[in-house]
Amino acid sequence: MGNNIKEFREKKGWSQSELARQLNVHKSWVHKLETGKKEPTLRMALRMANILECRVEDIFFTI
């Protein structure tokens, strides 16, 4: 899942800091997601999918 988030973030040309700003969370939270140390709630996954312009399934399952 972390790799998927990173891939969508990078497709937008965003840093972890920019994604964190868009989500209104701390950059370290995005880092923990991308390294597999944390998992998003369903609500946050839906917000991420909206912001990253992808389906929520794309965040959880390998692309």
Side-chain angles (χ1 to χ4, degrees):
M1 173 180 47
N3 288 335
N4 296 347
I5 295 167
K6 181 178 180 179
E7 189 172 320
F8 282 111
R9 174 181 60 76
E10 289 178 341
K11 281 183 184 178
K12 293 197 93 42
W14 290 350
S15 64
Q16 288 181 344
S17 295
E18 178 59 22
L19 179 57
R21 188 184 73 74
Q22 293 283 334
L23 293 169
N24 198 30
V25 297
H26 195 272
K27 175 187 151 188
S28 65
W29 188 81
V30 173
H31 174 75
K32 289 176 184 176
L33 282 179
E34 290 186 359
T35 58
K37 294 177 182 165
K38 203 152 193 57
E39 291 189 8
T41 62
L42 181 55
R43 176 176 280 164
M44 185 58 79
L46 290 168
R47 283 184 62 206
M48 268 193 290
N50 186 45
I51 288 168
L52 294 171
E53 299 176 348
C54 66
R55 299 175 312 155
V56 72
E57 296 89 351
D58 295 333
I59 290 175
F60 287 103
F61 302 105
T62 304
I63 303 167

